[in-house]
Amino acid sequence: MRNLRNTRRDQLRIPGDLVLKASGWDIENESIICAFGPTKDDPLIQLKRWHYDREEKEEALENIASWAAPCPLPDLECDNVLSLRYFPDSSTTCVVLAGGDIIVIREAPSDGEENIEILGSVDVGISAAAWSPDEELLAIVTRADTLLYMTKEFENVSSVTLTEDDLKASKHVSVGWGKKETQFKGKGAKALRDPTMPEKVDEGLPSSHDDKSSTISWRGDGAYIAINSNQASARRVIRVYSREGMLDGVSEPVDGLEGALSWRPEGNLLAGIQRFDDHVDIVFFERNGLRHGQFPLRIAIEEMTDEWATSIILEWNVDSSILAVCFRDRFQLWTMGNYHYYLKQEVSFANPPSKGRIGFQWNPEQPLMCTAMSEDNLHRLEYVLLVDAGSTISPYDYGIVSVIDGKEVKLTPFRLANIPPPMALHEVSVLSNIVNAAIYGGGSNTKLAVLERNRLSIYQWNLKSKPILAPVLLAFAETAACQGYVQQVVFLDDEQVLVLATNSFGSTVSLFCLIATDLKHSTTTLSIPYTQKPSSGLDPGFFSNIAWNGICVLPKLTREVKVIDLWNKHSEKIATDEGHDRSLTIAFGLTRNGSLYANSRRLAKDCTSFLLTPAHLIFTTTQHLLKFVHMDQVEELVVPPDTPEIDERCRNIERGARLVTVMPSISALVLQMPRGNLETIYPRALVLAVIRQNIDEKKYKKAFLSCRSHRVDMNILHDHDPESFIDNVNLFVDQVGKVEYIDLFLSQLREEDVSKTMYKDTIMRGKPESSIPRSRPDVGAPGYSEKLKVNNICDAFLKALQSRASTNLQNIITAHVCKSPPDLEAGLLEVAKLQRQNSEEAEKAVEHICFLVDVNRLYDNALGLYDLELALLVAQQSQKDPREYLPFLQKLQELPSHRKEFTIDDYLGRYTKALTHLRTINDFEEFKLYMTKHKLYEDALHIYRRQEDRIQGLVGLYAEYLSKKAKYKEAGVAYEYIRHYASASEAYRLAHLWREALSCAGLIPLEEAKLQSFAGTIASSLQELKDYHSTAIVHQDYLHDLESAARLFCKGYFYADAIRILSLNKRPDLVDAVVDAGLVEGMGTMTELLAECKAQINAQVPRLRELRVKKVEEPLAFYDGDVNEGMDIPDNVSLAATDASTAGGSLFTRYTNRTGTVGTNATRRTSKNRRREERKRARGKKGSVYEEEYLVNSIGRLVDRVNAVGDEVGRLVVGLMRRGMRERAKAVEGAMVEVVGLCRDCVREVFQSESKVEQEAEERKDQDVDRPPGGDGVLWDSMEMSQARKEATEIKAFETLALFSR
């Protein structure tokens, strides 16, 4: 569907004393090497370089070298240049002459090298020569039918003679694929003839215009070479040789085969020329020499004898997309799609060569750049492949695409007729081959401009007529006044047309005015000087039609696109700076290397095609993605990432697909695949744009049908503009109309706001608040709750449908059922109401509600309404056996009202409600049994909350239940509430609430001996819990054991309390015996603990530091090695793992399924291995991968322990000082200060800084890995815990006594 458009044409006029014979590309210097001469009268060859980008014409040609080349062969009038190749790596040019000389011209010769040197010569002469694509081999065919291979150093590596025996090398067998001879022609037609044998067998008869020349063509990868030459028997033969010189295949005989040959770089076909009496074909061969299709060159019979059509050469471009067919005075460019060949461009020359045909050469790197030369002119041309499509602005977006094919324009409006190429809805024929075409408008006044070389034609096309008729010619005009070669045509409006032309001085834009049926050339012309000639940096050229801003002329297209002039459609002159705000214009351009620019900003670097609509920039990428960019200011354009799975602005497309046209009004986008077929898709971005537009315009039916057709979540109908939707529910119901459609909408409602989740990317971000609807109504809007979206919508529909109950009862039921949670009771009540009025309609309603909800659930809800007739009606719609529900319903029918309600609620599991019915029945014993059975104690207490006599019995039962559930505190409170002090005291004892237990024991009351025994039991349990302070109080107050109480106070480091009670009871003797002994014992225990803490820190912190250094410097050894230095690391803390953490190494993925296994190749996946790995992790063995985590956890627990004993150390120091043990107090305090200091110093190192942990956490987010199973999972958990962020443990300050000197 793409056409070729000429974007640049540079022309070099050859001075009269020079004759151009050959040219070659200099890619490095962006120039062309030209060879002038020799001629019959002058054997001098001059080598010059044409700098086509230089502004000064006189400096365009640069002399390189010149030398005399007299022809050594007597049968040649003069020598001829067969091959010219420039090598940029050595700055040399190789020239191969027909006389046999191979000459090298060095522009920067080294010492001992000559500027011009003949490196070899073939005495018999050379008929053809060609370099391989990799420039490593030179293939030469001599006039003695010999093939020579020469290296880049011009050493002969192979020599092969072309003989008639070569014709026997291939045994061709054709099965006639696609031939008419193999088609079915009836039961008795030619039944005895072999269908694989054609009716006529070619003998290889020569063409009447064969020039006896030889042609060489390399395959694109340089592995094979094809040679087209004449045999002595006058038959044309195509031989295929390998790179080593081995014959691989020979072509089958073809009558009329000429010397042209070009191997498609992709390698599948060789193109040649076959001439008939009435037409000329391009014929294709496979590598084995068999024919593989053809197509005609469309040369009329009367033109067959013209001189321009007698000599033809073929050239494929570097990417195999275009085949150039060169004649004596013109060349044609052909493309292929869906196995049809299109003639896209024909370029003619006014002064063709006196002999032979024009010279043509493609650029070896740029597939759409070529040179064409005659004896006095050299042209450099650049093309782009573009789709000539109509407007993309609604309502004119008919998707009209024009495809140029020689003298025809194929027209298809894809909005009305989706016809695949090469077919079309209509074809417009003109007198000569077409250069360009343009489309304007849509509907009944569609205009078509067809630009030929010398004529411009305007057609009118009525797309609203039925059937759609062919376009009608309105007017035409000659283009002679355009001053140059015409390149492009665009519409300014429906009456003005602009034509772009180029010549050797620059470019011009000419205006043609359509007045009625007369097309006239206006004097208004924009001249673009040579210095502003468009460069080849951007496609689609410098002349673009931007429908909403007019015609944009971009004469200087570089990487920074700049809008030079804007042709205002309301004026016949160029708009000035004052007449147009350039800052509001955005020019989009695509470079040859795939960079997509918006003015000077690069949006993408892998773009292959793009389209514009008023709302979107749409483009495809080399990653086979289709992307949508919301239109905005240049700086605000947001290109979506390559995430088609989560972003609706990006989607996958077929490999190599390119954009053809877009029709926003129907949300359609047409793409063309590499093989030529079309695909029409409906991207979410376009669909949602249309849906939102319809919602804004309150066209709810169109929006609904679009959602239904394209499977868009219907919540968008509400979520796009909730307030407006709630206010216009009546309008929605009126427009949508069908009951089934309204049900479909209601059934798809959910609480999610799809405009903020699923479709958040399909609307432009940062849009002004006034230009888009609010996603939620104002807070406090009447009747609206932000957290109950579904219920609010259903309520709005119920309100709107109340007056339409006769026609929309089904919708009312659906609205009840679709609430969250479903209001089944309200829906069933509607059915029950209808049942009393119309039983037939009620059955339909029940059938509908059973379709929406599980029928068993409906049956239960119908029972819950205590309406047995309704329950029976619902049950009949289910798959239940009537024997299952009829006896039960009959039994219910016979019961009294309250007993029936109790039985139904008990059956449905609504026990609280059933308990209420038992209260109404007034059977307290059954009430208690039912409460106990279903554990409804709190509900029962609430029911009898005003009857204290009933409360006492219920609380007793509740207390028994709490005791069984080991909730002793609550049980004790319940027993005490009902004055059961014995049970309460026992419950409190089990709850370790000694104060409450002893208080209740005293209220029983207990005897003194039993009370002391009970107190002793409590004291023993408290001592086991190490609650020494409480145990001491029990011994003092209830057991009256003062000495034991004092010892217990000392054991808990409460020395002040011990001294207090001894002095209170006048027992100073016990102070020395008990308190002093307790102080000495406490000092010994504490000193030992602090010494162990100090030793642990001094051992574990250096080891942890060593491990972390090793993890950074030798990560593999850290994770796989086994370090065993024999040093024990003391630890007096439990082995159970905690949440203490540190940041682990960056190689944690080494142990996942994605990146490999450990060095021992153990899989660690079985349950047994997992348990073994957990034990290894708990031990934290030295040298294992778990050691670091173990050390960090151990240090963390040590810090917690030091914080816990701080108060005890403080009380111990004060007690020692009070009893005169100053040195001991000072020693304990010093040990504590030292340990606290060590902990404070190591915490920052052990628990790494927050910033580093957060940085490593961010790095781990980018790694898509899953937790492995088995033993690997244990290691994963360990490393995840190591790398998780945790606040470092805070070291509590230890207050020292001021009595000690520092």
Side-chain angles (χ1 to χ4, degrees):
M1 304 296 288
R2 295 186 295 170
N3 297 324
L4 271 176
R5 182 184 299 173
N6 179 228
T7 58
R8 179 169 178 177
R9 182 167 181 167
D10 297 312
Q11 180 179 358
L12 175 65
R13 295 188 181 274
I14 309 301
D17 57 338
L18 298 177
V19 178
L20 182 61
K21 288 298 186 74
S23 64
W25 289 96
D26 180 0
I27 304 300
E28 184 178 7
N29 298 311
E30 295 186 355
S31 59
I32 299 173
I33 307 297
C34 303
F36 299 94
T39 63
K40 179 181 179 181
D41 301 325
D42 186 3
L44 185 66
I45 298 178
Q46 299 184 49
L47 206 64
K48 298 177 180 290
R49 177 178 280 106
W50 176 33
H51 297 277
Y52 45 79
D53 279 332
R54 287 193 176 175
E55 299 178 0
E56 298 297 331
K57 291 292 184 180
E58 57 273 10
E59 298 179 0
L61 276 178
E62 175 189 352
N63 290 320
I64 298 176
S66 62
W67 70 95
C71 182
L73 301 178
D75 57 337
L76 295 179
E77 291 184 353
C78 64
D79 217 338
N80 187 30
V81 179
L82 297 180
S83 173
L84 188 152
R85 190 67 168 243
Y86 179 76
F87 300 97
D89 54 346
S90 59
S91 299
T92 60
T93 304
C94 178
V95 177
V96 180
L97 301 179
D101 291 338
I102 303 173
I103 306 170
V104 172
I105 299 92
R106 302 182 179 90
E107 298 186 42
S110 302
D111 295 338
E113 292 182 339
E114 298 181 4
N115 187 18
I116 302 173
E117 183 178 359
I118 300 177
L119 294 181
S121 182
V122 180
D123 295 337
V124 296
I126 300 174
S127 58
W131 284 91
S132 63
D134 58 2
E135 298 180 343
E136 293 296 331
L137 280 181
L138 172 64
I140 296 175
V141 176
T142 68
R143 301 182 73 181
D145 291 338
T146 302
L147 171 62
L148 303 177
Y149 281 156
M150 301 184 71
T151 65
K152 197 172 183 179
E153 290 74 25
F154 301 100
E155 296 178 358
N156 192 3
V157 295
S158 180
S159 177
V160 182
T161 302
L162 312 181
T163 65
E164 289 194 24
D165 293 338
D166 297 341
L167 306 185
K168 303 175 184 178
S170 297
K171 302 295 184 181
H172 301 119
V173 178
S174 175
V175 294
W177 292 116
K179 298 290 187 180
K180 66 178 181 179
E181 294 87 354
T182 61
Q183 306 306 309
F184 180 71
K185 298 181 180 178
K187 185 175 181 181
K190 302 179 182 180
L192 300 178
R193 193 180 67 81
D194 186 356
T196 65
M197 296 299 295
E199 296 179 358
K200 178 182 178 299
V201 178
D202 286 357
E203 302 176 7
L205 299 177
S207 169
S208 58
H209 296 283
D210 194 349
D211 56 4
K212 310 300 181 183
S213 63
S214 298
T215 308
I216 298 176
S217 182
W218 286 85
R219 200 170 74 170
D221 58 359
Y224 291 93
I225 186 174
I227 301 170
N228 187 348
S229 62
N230 266 308
Q231 275 304 116
S233 60
R235 172 189 162 186
R236 272 281 173 186
V237 179
I238 299 177
R239 295 177 174 86
V240 177
Y241 289 91
S242 68
R243 192 180 180 93
E244 292 74 25
M246 301 298 294
L247 182 64
D248 187 72
V250 179
S251 65
E252 63 179 276
V254 176
D255 291 343
L257 186 65
E258 296 187 356
L261 179 67
S262 182
W263 200 328
R264 196 177 187 198
E266 288 184 353
N268 55 343
L269 295 175
L270 294 95
I273 294 292
Q274 184 181 16
R275 188 179 295 272
F276 296 90
D277 295 335
D278 57 348
H279 68 281
V280 178
D281 281 352
I282 301 290
V283 293
F284 298 107
F285 297 87
E286 298 177 7
R287 200 186 80 190
N288 58 11
L290 288 175
R291 287 279 301 275
H292 191 94
Q294 64 282 321
F295 71 91
L297 278 181
R298 306 178 191 175
I299 299 176
I301 298 178
E302 57 273 13
E303 297 176 329
M304 292 290 294
T305 57
D306 291 350
E307 187 177 359
W308 67 269
T310 56
S311 181
I312 306 174
I313 62 171
L314 303 175
E315 288 288 343
W316 285 101
N317 70 335
V318 68
D319 66 352
S320 305
S321 60
I322 302 175
L323 176 62
V325 182
C326 304
F327 302 91
R328 183 172 179 271
D329 64 343
R330 69 195 68 180
F331 68 86
Q332 297 176 347
L333 302 179
W334 295 75
T335 64
M336 190 269 286
N338 267 10
Y339 303 99
H340 174 81
Y341 280 84
Y342 299 85
L343 175 55
K344 293 298 184 182
Q345 287 282 336
E346 181 180 80
V347 180
S348 301
F349 292 85
N351 300 315
S354 57
K355 293 182 180 180
R357 60 251 165 181
I358 64 170
F360 186 90
Q361 190 176 19
W362 288 105
N363 189 292
E365 293 183 359
Q366 303 298 332
L368 300 179
M369 186 185 300
C370 63
T371 60
M373 68 176 190
S374 60
E375 293 180 349
D376 59 350
N377 279 284
L378 176 60
H379 296 261
R380 173 187 166 276
L381 302 101
E382 289 187 43
Y383 292 90
V384 291
L385 281 167
L386 290 174
V387 177
D388 290 323
S391 175
T392 59
I393 302 177
S394 180
Y396 306 109
D397 54 339
Y398 282 83
I400 307 172
V401 176
S402 63
V403 181
I404 296 174
D405 189 9
K407 299 178 182 180
E408 294 181 345
V409 177
K410 300 176 182 291
L411 298 170
T412 301
F414 284 97
R415 182 171 163 186
L416 306 176
N418 200 336
I419 300 175
M423 299 178 290
L425 181 63
H426 287 296
E427 296 178 354
V428 175
S429 299
V430 294
L431 300 178
S432 61
N433 290 322
I434 299 171
V435 175
N436 189 232
I439 301 166
Y440 181 82
S444 60
N445 192 29
T446 304
K447 294 289 197 312
L448 170 67
V450 180
L451 179 64
E452 305 166 54
R453 180 182 177 187
N454 298 314
R455 194 167 93 152
L456 173 64
S457 304
I458 306 296
Y459 293 82
Q460 185 169 4
W461 195 13
N462 186 2
L463 294 175
K464 293 188 177 180
S465 63
K466 294 189 178 180
I468 302 175
L469 303 177
V472 178
L473 179 65
L474 285 182
F476 64 90
E478 299 296 326
T479 59
C482 292
Q483 303 174 3
Y485 302 100
V486 292
Q487 293 176 290
Q488 187 183 349
V489 59
V490 293
F491 280 95
L492 187 59
D493 54 30
D494 59 349
E495 295 180 351
Q496 299 181 83
V497 181
L498 297 178
V499 175
L500 174 68
T502 184
N503 51 46
S504 58
F505 301 102
S507 300
T508 59
V509 178
S510 302
L511 177 65
F512 288 83
C513 299
L514 178 64
I515 303 174
T517 59
D518 190 15
L519 185 64
K520 295 184 178 180
H521 180 263
S522 173
T523 58
T524 303
T525 301
L526 170 65
S527 296
I528 304 173
Y530 180 82
T531 55
Q532 290 188 351
K533 209 164 196 183
S535 71
S536 59
L538 289 173
D539 302 339
F542 69 0
F543 200 55
S544 303
N545 187 354
I546 303 177
W548 49 86
N549 278 337
I551 305 302
C552 186
V553 182
L554 309 177
K556 189 65 176 178
L557 290 182
T558 60
R559 287 186 179 273
E560 294 188 358
V561 184
K562 297 181 180 178
V563 180
I564 303 300
D565 292 292
L566 187 73
W567 197 306
N568 192 333
K569 65 172 65 178
H570 303 295
S571 174
E572 292 189 358
K573 64 181 181 179
I574 304 302
T576 62
D577 290 343
E578 292 78 17
H580 176 73
D581 186 1
R582 303 289 177 86
S583 63
L584 300 179
T585 302
I586 305 177
F588 292 92
L590 177 64
T591 65
R592 288 193 301 261
N593 62 5
S595 294
L596 178 63
Y597 284 86
N599 290 356
S600 60
R601 180 189 172 193
R602 186 170 75 174
L603 301 178
K605 58 182 179 180
D606 57 352
C607 177
T608 57
S609 62
F610 72 95
L611 287 173
L612 297 176
T613 71
H616 295 98
L617 162 67
I618 310 169
F619 66 94
T620 56
T621 71
T622 55
Q623 301 300 318
H624 324 301
L625 297 174
L626 176 67
K627 295 189 176 184
F628 293 81
V629 179
H630 299 293
M631 282 295 185
D632 205 340
Q633 299 295 329
V634 175
E635 297 78 12
E636 303 298 328
L637 295 174
V638 178
V639 179
D642 296 347
T643 54
E645 302 84 3
I646 59 174
D647 196 336
E648 294 287 1
R649 298 172 298 168
C650 179
R651 63 171 289 170
N652 291 307
I653 55 175
E654 186 175 333
R655 179 183 296 270
R658 295 176 184 268
L659 298 171
V660 175
T661 188
V662 60
M663 294 156 279
S665 60
I666 62 170
S667 310
L669 183 68
V670 182
L671 298 129
Q672 186 171 31
M673 306 304 116
R675 56 187 174 273
N677 59 307
L678 301 180
E679 181 179 345
T680 301
I681 62 174
Y682 298 85
R684 279 284 188 267
L686 295 179
V687 171
L688 288 166
V690 173
I691 291 174
R692 288 188 174 101
Q693 181 181 355
N694 290 331
I695 295 174
D696 293 338
E697 297 173 357
K698 294 184 175 54
K699 297 178 180 178
Y700 292 111
K701 184 173 184 179
K702 288 186 176 180
F704 173 84
L705 293 177
S706 295
C707 293
R708 181 172 175 266
S709 300
H710 299 289
R711 301 184 66 83
V712 175
D713 194 311
M714 291 189 181
N715 283 272
I716 192 67
L717 298 173
H718 167 270
D719 295 342
H720 176 64
D721 191 353
E723 188 175 12
S724 175
F725 182 84
I726 295 296
D727 293 340
N728 292 279
V729 169
N730 284 304
L731 180 61
F732 179 90
V733 174
D734 291 337
Q735 289 184 1
V736 174
K738 287 188 177 182
V739 174
E740 295 80 4
Y741 286 173
I742 298 175
D743 276 352
L744 179 61
F745 170 73
L746 292 173
S747 63
Q748 293 194 6
L749 292 175
R750 63 179 191 274
E751 295 297 336
E752 178 187 357
D753 186 348
V754 297
S755 67
K756 294 181 178 179
T757 56
M758 186 182 302
Y759 303 129
K760 64 180 180 179
D761 295 320
T762 58
I763 191 168
M764 185 170 62
R765 300 175 184 176
K767 202 169 183 180
E769 187 69 24
S770 59
S771 62
I772 60 174
R774 290 185 301 241
S775 59
R776 281 282 179 260
D778 291 335
V779 177
Y784 198 94
S785 173
E786 185 173 355
K787 296 184 179 180
L788 299 174
K789 176 187 108 176
V790 175
N791 291 353
N792 289 327
I793 297 174
C794 291
D795 290 339
F797 271 86
L798 290 172
K799 182 179 178 181
L801 295 173
Q802 287 302 321
S803 59
R804 313 174 194 227
S806 58
T807 57
N808 294 81
L809 179 63
Q810 181 174 315
N811 298 140
I812 294 175
I813 295 174
T814 304
H816 285 300
V817 171
C818 289
K819 286 187 176 183
S820 179
D823 192 357
L824 299 181
E825 292 188 1
L828 289 170
L829 288 175
E830 293 288 343
V831 176
K833 180 180 178 182
L834 183 63
Q835 188 181 21
R836 293 189 292 270
Q837 300 173 357
N838 190 331
S839 59
E840 294 182 0
E841 293 295 329
E843 290 183 2
K844 294 181 181 179
V846 167
E847 184 178 351
H848 174 67
I849 196 172
C850 289
F851 170 76
L852 296 175
V853 186
D854 178 33
V855 67
N856 295 317
R857 185 179 176 189
L858 277 176
Y859 174 72
D860 293 342
N861 278 271
L863 275 178
L865 295 175
Y866 314 119
D867 189 337
L868 300 183
E869 293 183 0
L870 181 61
L872 178 62
L873 189 62
V874 172
Q876 290 173 347
Q877 296 293 329
S878 69
Q879 301 295 323
K880 291 184 177 182
D881 189 339
R883 289 176 296 183
E884 296 180 19
Y885 58 84
L886 281 179
F888 177 67
L889 294 178
Q890 291 172 354
K891 179 183 177 181
L892 291 175
Q893 189 69 32
E894 298 171 357
L895 294 175
S897 175
H898 293 298
R899 179 60 67 175
K900 176 181 69 174
E901 293 173 357
F902 166 74
T903 305
I904 290 174
D905 288 329
D906 181 64
Y907 171 79
L908 296 177
R910 301 190 295 193
Y911 303 120
T912 301
K913 200 169 184 181
L915 195 66
T916 305
H917 294 308
L918 284 178
R919 168 70 174 80
T920 306
I921 295 173
N922 199 18
D923 188 345
F924 188 65
E925 293 300 324
E926 184 180 3
F927 183 93
K928 289 191 294 181
L929 291 174
Y930 195 80
M931 175 197 71
T932 305
K933 178 181 179 181
H934 296 289
K935 303 178 181 62
L936 302 175
Y937 301 100
E938 296 178 1
D939 297 319
L941 291 173
H942 178 73
I943 292 173
Y944 281 103
R945 61 188 179 278
R946 300 187 185 280
Q947 298 183 27
E948 187 62 32
D949 55 336
R950 304 288 191 186
I951 288 288
Q952 293 290 326
L954 297 178
V955 171
L957 294 174
Y958 194 13
E960 293 177 5
Y961 169 76
L962 292 172
S963 295
K964 293 177 181 179
K965 291 295 182 180
K967 297 182 178 180
Y968 300 114
K969 178 181 177 180
E970 292 82 356
V973 173
Y975 280 124
E976 191 172 2
Y977 176 79
I978 59 177
R979 302 298 187 268
H980 288 182
Y981 294 116
S983 299
S985 64
E986 183 62 21
Y988 282 136
R989 182 187 69 80
L990 294 174
H992 304 295
L993 300 175
W994 63 273
R995 294 179 179 85
E996 291 82 352
L998 291 171
S999 299
C1000 290
L1003 294 174
I1004 295 177
L1006 285 178
E1007 298 177 358
E1008 184 64 25
K1010 292 182 178 181
L1011 180 60
Q1012 287 190 357
S1013 176
F1014 184 68
T1017 303
I1018 292 178
S1020 299
S1021 62
L1022 290 174
Q1023 189 169 355
E1024 290 178 1
L1025 296 175
K1026 297 184 179 181
D1027 186 358
Y1028 298 114
H1029 193 278
S1030 300
T1031 308
I1033 294 176
V1034 173
H1035 274 274
Q1036 177 186 357
D1037 295 344
Y1038 291 92
L1039 299 178
H1040 309 294
D1041 188 351
L1042 188 63
E1043 183 177 353
S1044 297
R1047 293 186 186 278
L1048 289 170
F1049 276 129
C1050 291
K1051 198 168 186 178
Y1053 296 94
F1054 297 100
Y1055 301 104
D1057 291 328
I1059 297 173
R1060 181 186 63 79
I1061 63 172
L1062 292 176
S1063 62
L1064 179 65
N1065 290 277
K1066 306 296 191 294
R1067 294 295 302 274
D1069 56 315
L1070 292 179
V1071 174
D1072 296 334
V1074 176
V1075 176
D1076 290 351
L1079 285 169
V1080 172
E1081 181 182 358
M1083 176 197 171
T1085 302
M1086 191 61 66
T1087 302
E1088 182 180 358
L1089 174 63
L1090 294 176
E1092 290 177 356
C1093 292
K1094 178 181 176 182
Q1096 181 178 342
I1097 292 175
N1098 291 332
Q1100 290 184 339
V1101 172
R1103 176 59 180 166
L1104 181 62
R1105 188 181 302 120
E1106 177 185 351
L1107 286 175
R1108 287 177 174 170
V1109 171
K1110 184 175 182 180
K1111 181 171 64 174
V1112 175
E1113 296 179 351
E1114 302 178 21
L1116 296 180
F1118 174 79
Y1119 286 105
D1120 288 343
D1122 185 11
V1123 180
N1124 186 10
E1125 299 178 356
M1127 181 175 63
D1128 293 332
I1129 301 176
D1131 185 15
N1132 60 346
V1133 192
S1134 172
L1135 295 178
T1138 67
D1139 293 334
S1141 66
T1142 182
S1146 60
L1147 293 181
F1148 71 97
T1149 53
R1150 174 178 176 81
Y1151 293 89
T1152 68
N1153 291 335
R1154 302 296 180 88
T1155 57
T1157 60
V1158 296
T1160 59
N1161 294 324
T1163 59
R1164 294 191 177 104
R1165 289 181 181 175
T1166 65
S1167 178
K1168 182 178 179 180
N1169 285 341
R1170 177 178 56 80
R1171 292 193 296 270
R1172 184 189 304 122
E1173 202 72 19
E1174 289 175 349
R1175 290 195 295 271
K1176 288 182 179 179
R1177 180 184 178 189
R1179 287 195 300 267
K1181 181 180 177 182
K1182 183 177 181 181
S1184 70
V1185 73
Y1186 304 110
E1187 184 183 1
E1188 182 189 8
E1189 179 197 12
Y1190 177 81
L1191 292 176
V1192 173
N1193 292 339
S1194 178
I1195 295 173
R1197 293 190 292 271
L1198 182 145
V1199 172
D1200 294 336
R1201 179 61 177 150
V1202 170
N1203 286 334
V1205 302
D1207 294 337
E1208 296 178 358
V1209 173
R1211 295 196 296 269
L1212 176 62
V1213 171
V1214 172
L1216 289 170
M1217 285 295 295
R1218 291 179 63 185
R1219 298 301 301 161
M1221 305 178 189
R1222 183 177 183 280
E1223 293 301 324
R1224 293 183 177 184
K1226 185 176 180 181
V1228 172
E1229 184 182 83
M1232 184 64 183
V1233 170
E1234 183 179 6
V1235 171
V1236 170
L1238 290 174
C1239 291
R1240 185 175 290 108
D1241 294 338
C1242 74
V1243 160
R1244 181 174 295 274
E1245 180 181 1
V1246 173
F1247 302 91
Q1248 293 179 349
S1249 63
E1250 178 179 326
S1251 59
K1252 182 174 181 181
V1253 173
E1254 290 181 347
Q1255 179 181 357
E1256 294 180 354
E1258 289 295 329
E1259 294 176 356
R1260 293 196 303 274
K1261 287 181 181 179
D1262 299 332
Q1263 305 187 34
D1264 183 17
V1265 289
D1266 301 323
R1267 184 188 184 277
D1272 283 347
V1274 177
L1275 181 59
W1276 171 279
D1277 294 338
S1278 172
M1279 303 192 73
E1280 283 292 305
M1281 183 176 294
S1282 297
Q1283 293 162 347
R1285 171 187 170 187
K1286 185 187 176 186
E1287 297 292 340
T1289 304
E1290 182 181 357
I1291 306 297
K1292 292 183 179 179
F1294 178 71
E1295 296 184 4
T1296 59
L1297 286 178
L1299 299 175
F1300 299 123
S1301 60
R1302 302 298 176 190

